[in-house]
Amino acid sequence: MTADRWEAAAFKARVDNVLQEFVAEEAGQVAAIDPLLDPVARELESTVADGKRLRSAFCYWGWRAAGQPDSDAMVRAAASMELVHAAAVVHDDLIDDSPLRHGRPTPHIALRGAVRRQPRAVAAARSLAMLVGDLLMSLAGQLFATSGLPAAYLARARPLWSLLARELIAGECLEILRTGSLPDTSASLKVIRYKTAKYTVEQPLLIGSALAGGGKLLRQGYSAYGLPLGEAFQLRDDLLGLFGDPQRTGKTTADDVRGQRPTALLAETWRLADEGERERLGALLGRRDLDEQALVEVRAVMRRVKAPDRIEAMITDRVEEALAALHTLNAPAPATAALTTLARSAAIRLS
């Protein structure tokens, strides 16, 4: 990546190097405490082995759009966003009882081997996974604080970390509280905004801006760009969750229906369905023994009422809203080009 051209693969490689080196060192220190901790240390490293690094990219370009130059220290600070994401994913998979992520067993499944001889092995593995997620969030703050950026820069961004954690946890709690309730699109969009949209796009941008000393107008522009784009990202995730190819997504396709999660896709399906379709959906949503034939039936109802088309339109509207806001920022041309590319890669993807 040069100062004038966004090269996603080159940036991802820089972030990957930071994460792998940092987490490997931390995992080694955990394992050094006792050999029994080796499986926990391995899961720590596994959580950062994959990812598109979108959150770190938004943080980095939040810095660059404020007029700051490329910086290895800034890349380290931006990489901390991926540890926030890793922590959120571990906890989310635990809450949702999801068995797969990136085609591999999730930590609460993988760690069963470490406690297989215990009388309550499943519960013990879930407890270990919870603690892995907690440690990842702690490590995110550590990587940020030791990034190498000046202390005065870091102090400007520190209040935003509390906001990020508060809103992320509030969104996760909202999803839990609304799971199994009558589907409602506006409620689902609120969950999306707080659980995913903010910490995926808006808050990384705002943290980058704060580090760079960006002003109020820039912050407002970042929110106008980041919130709709973050919502588009999660709406795409909802579609992929049920209609995506598991070979590409690395996840099962039954989780949202089996868990009766408050996704916008399910809410729009319910809103558009007739009485008979709602009755059938009501018999299928939330069933733990949901099989592939039942999933086929749910997808058929969704297609009949054109709910996926409605979600696609919502994604398109939000990407257009984000791009319109971006072009009011008067950011340097490389930053505008990068954030335009990131908007499209966040909302238009296969995994």
Side-chain angles (χ1 to χ4, degrees), residues 23 27 30 37-49 86 90 93 99 101 104-114 125 128-129 131-133 135-136:
V23 176
V30 168
L37 291 167
D38 283 349
V40 174
R42 287 197 299 271
E43 282 306 302
L44 271 178
E45 293 192 78
S46 179
T47 61
V48 298
V90 171
D93 287 342
R101 173 78 61 165
R104 293 194 301 270
T106 47
H108 67 277
I109 300 296
L111 286 165
R112 287 180 184 179
L128 289 174
L131 294 168
V132 167
L135 181 54
L136 284 164

Side-chain angles (χ1 to χ4, degrees), residues 40-299:
V40 174
R42 287 197 299 271
E43 282 306 302
L44 271 178
E45 293 192 78
S46 179
T47 61
V48 298
D50 298 289
K52 300 176 185 67
R53 312 313 186 199
L54 286 174
R55 292 158 186 84
S56 52
F58 284 121
C59 188
Y60 173 85
W61 285 106
W63 160 274
R64 292 293 306 278
Q68 293 283 7
D70 179 52
S71 158
D72 287 340
M74 182 58 210
V75 172
R76 284 181 61 82
S80 67
M81 299 294 102
E82 302 300 333
L83 292 175
V84 172
H85 177 52
V89 163
V90 171
H91 286 149
D92 196 44
D93 287 342
L94 177 60
I95 291 164
D96 294 338
D97 203 21
S98 298
L100 292 174
R101 173 78 61 165
H102 298 298
R104 293 194 301 270
T106 47
H108 67 277
I109 300 296
L111 286 165
R112 287 180 184 179
V115 291
R116 62 185 179 276
R117 292 186 176 85
Q118 293 192 14
R120 298 180 65 245
V122 171
R126 293 177 67 85
S127 297
L128 289 174
M130 178 184 68
L131 294 168
V132 167
D134 292 347
L135 181 54
L136 284 164
M137 186 62 87
S138 173
L139 292 178
Q142 182 183 337
L143 178 58
F144 185 80
T146 60
S147 62
L149 288 173
Y153 289 28
L154 297 172
R156 290 195 294 250
R158 193 166 293 122
L160 293 174
W161 276 80
S162 296
L163 180 63
L164 183 156
R166 182 189 313 127
E167 293 185 337
L168 172 57
I169 291 170
E172 191 71 68
C173 289
L174 272 178
E175 183 179 63
I176 293 169
L177 291 166
R178 291 201 176 277
T179 290
S181 61
L182 192 67
D184 176 83
T185 300
S186 62
S188 294
L189 289 173
K190 189 170 190 178
V191 171
I192 282 173
R193 174 163 288 207
Y194 284 92
K195 183 191 169 191
T196 303
K198 283 177 165 286
Y199 99 92
T200 297
V201 186
E202 183 200 27
Q203 286 162 337
L205 282 166
L206 292 175
I207 288 172
S209 172
L211 290 170
K216 181 179 179 181
L217 287 178
L218 186 62
R219 294 195 300 274
Q220 290 174 341
Y222 281 166
S223 291
Y225 165 88
L227 283 173
L229 183 56
E231 289 179 2
F233 176 89
Q234 184 56 44
L235 289 168
R236 173 64 61 202
D237 215 51
D238 290 349
L239 279 176
L240 290 170
L242 199 50
F243 290 93
D245 179 358
Q247 294 296 111
R248 287 182 177 270
T249 64
K251 296 184 282 187
T252 64
T253 56
D255 287 355
D256 288 348
V257 177
R258 187 178 289 141
Q260 199 173 345
R261 296 176 190 159
T263 69
L265 177 60
L266 286 175
E268 282 296 283
T269 301
W270 188 267
R271 183 180 70 83
L272 296 165
D274 62 27
E275 186 175 344
E277 289 164 334
R278 286 185 178 183
E279 185 177 348
R280 186 56 187 148
L281 285 170
L284 295 172
L285 296 177
R287 278 179 46 181
R288 302 305 298 174
D289 61 345
L290 198 75
D291 59 17
E292 185 56 36
Q293 183 53 45
L295 278 177
V296 168
E297 194 170 346
V298 171
R299 292 189 192 102

Side-chain angles (χ1 to χ4, degrees), residues 228-229 232 314-324 343-344 347-348:
L229 183 56
M314 292 167 71
I315 291 169
T316 298
D317 289 346
R318 282 160 173 75
V319 172
E320 289 177 354
E321 182 183 347
L323 291 176
R344 303 211 179 278
I348 303 169

